[in-house]
Amino acid sequence: MSSYNSPLPVGSPEGTGAYAIAIGDTAAGTNNVGNRTDSAGNVAPDFVWGSFPMQPNDERTDGTAVVAVANNYAQNYNWSGYTTYPSARLTASTANNHTVAEAEWNNYPAFTPGVGNFMVTAASGNGTTVTYTSQNKLAKNDVVNITGLTASAYNLSSATVATADALKFTVTNASNAGEITGQWYGKVEATNALTAYDGAGITFINVPSVIGETTALALDELKDAGYEAANITTATAATNAASTITAVSRTGTTATITSTGAGAKYPVGTKITVASLAAPDTALNGTFTVTAVATDTVSYTTTTTGALSTGSLSVAGLTGVAGTIKSQTVAAGTASVLSTATISITPYATAS
């Protein structure tokens, strides 16, 4: 007899998949590692993670190797041996998929979306109600903090949501600063968010380099990267007394200036002005971007070429370009920085 099984009857629960859906939708529980199970006790397939669900931190520990198994141990014949390690603990700030799971986006499509942060792009008030334009998942009576709007009157703390839909929400408040639109940095955050990055539209910051930029451009770039305006500090300008040049050289288009302590005064990326060099070194005068440093030297690229080498100089002609950034407190390239983090930038003072 053939082992072929006849098709399930058309329209039956088994034939339409309704039976499997019913099991998947039946409230059950979780297994010993926290994965959702269906009513039959099996791990419920997840339409995001597949049949191998996300593994929580419940079963993870920190540490090093815990056991080394010898060659040909037990049934491991012909193996060269292996070492067993405990699973590393997942860190929400650096493990992207784990961040998603921790924000409650597991068991999709039967998920509970994590409450949290949403962008606010416009706002208006009429003296009794403030209406915010925001794609959100807020609900009536949620308590929220609203930040980053250009009209400070609309930046509210512990405000209670009066009404909400997918595109806007309102709060009862007497603020009336007119209508503001085109808001790049507005944010609403539910006070019961699991973390500062829960929700839609608010991402981690990958810190840009603003060294050498004007203060205005630096502030704009940091806000574009995700920093809130209130969390960016412009420090007191760095002293910018002219440094004494003691020697200069050029190979090809790469010029090098020797000056005591120059490497620390003018880091890579900063803008410098070289002045007062006399012939045959006048081609090295101008404004440049530092490309390399050592303790007592800075290098940059000139628009002309040709070998130069002059020593025994004493020329007070090296300064930073006033108003451009000398340093930033969070290094460029730092990733997984929360949008609530702070950063400070230091520009050069006027040359003296």
Side-chain angles (χ1 to χ4, degrees):
M1 176 181 290
S2 170
S3 62
Y4 174 76
N5 293 321
S6 298
L8 293 168
V10 174
S12 68
E14 292 84 355
T16 62
Y19 181 71
I21 293 173
I23 288 180
D25 287 344
T26 301
T30 58
N31 62 13
N32 63 337
V33 295
N35 295 321
R36 185 172 67 95
T37 57
D38 61 26
S39 61
N42 300 312
V43 171
D46 188 293
F47 288 89
V48 169
W49 313 121
S51 296
F52 185 73
M54 297 286 287
Q55 305 300 299
N57 270 334
D58 303 14
E59 298 298 308
R60 294 175 181 267
T61 58
D62 298 320
T64 54
V66 293
V67 61
V69 180
N71 295 356
N72 299 325
Y73 177 80
Q75 297 180 8
N76 300 327
Y77 294 108
N78 297 320
W79 285 27
S80 59
Y82 66 88
T83 302
T84 301
Y85 292 85
S87 296
R89 186 176 301 280
L90 298 174
T91 303
S93 63
T94 56
N96 291 337
N97 284 349
H98 188 63
T99 298
V100 176
E102 289 290 333
E104 298 179 359
W105 286 85
N106 52 337
N107 296 327
Y108 182 86
F111 63 82
T112 301
V115 296
N117 298 337
F118 307 98
M119 295 180 69
V120 176
T121 57
S124 62
N126 60 14
T128 57
T129 301
V130 180
T131 300
Y132 297 90
T133 300
S134 172
Q135 294 187 27
N136 68 89
K137 292 184 178 295
L138 298 172
K140 181 179 179 179
N141 294 326
D142 280 349
V143 180
V144 298
N145 296 322
I146 302 157
T147 59
L149 298 175
T150 55
S152 59
Y154 294 150
N155 294 325
L156 305 176
S157 298
S158 300
T160 300
V161 174
T163 63
D165 60 34
L167 299 178
K168 66 181 183 300
F169 68 94
T170 66
V171 299
T172 301
N173 189 275
S175 298
N176 184 1
E179 182 179 13
I180 57 172
T181 59
Q183 301 296 296
W184 289 96
Y185 313 113
K187 183 179 79 173
V188 56
E189 179 182 359
T191 57
N192 62 332
L194 292 179
T195 61
Y197 45 82
D198 285 353
I202 303 300
T203 61
F204 286 116
I205 298 169
N206 192 339
V207 180
S209 173
V210 295
I211 303 300
E213 296 182 1
T214 64
T215 302
L217 287 177
L219 292 172
D220 188 62
E221 185 170 354
L222 290 172
K223 289 186 286 187
D224 285 345
Y227 279 102
E228 296 178 7
N231 292 334
I232 306 172
T233 302
T234 302
T236 301
T239 300
N240 195 17
S243 298
T244 299
I245 299 171
T246 57
V248 299
S249 64
R250 182 173 67 182
T251 301
T253 59
T254 301
T256 299
I257 300 291
T258 300
S259 177
T260 302
K265 294 177 183 177
Y266 314 104
V268 171
T270 55
K271 292 285 196 306
I272 58 171
T273 296
V274 180
S276 302
L277 291 175
D281 304 316
T282 54
L284 305 188
N285 290 325
T287 297
F288 308 95
T289 299
V290 175
T291 57
V293 300
T295 302
D296 295 323
T297 63
V298 294
S299 296
Y300 55 90
T301 301
T302 62
T303 57
T304 56
T305 187
L308 292 170
S309 181
T310 305
S312 301
L313 297 173
S314 182
V315 178
L318 178 60
T319 58
V321 175
T324 63
I325 304 304
K326 176 185 179 182
S327 63
Q328 58 190 81
T329 55
V330 182
T334 303
S336 300
V337 176
L338 296 180
S339 61
T340 53
T342 60
I343 189 171
S344 179
I345 54 177
T346 302
Y348 284 107
T350 301
S352 60

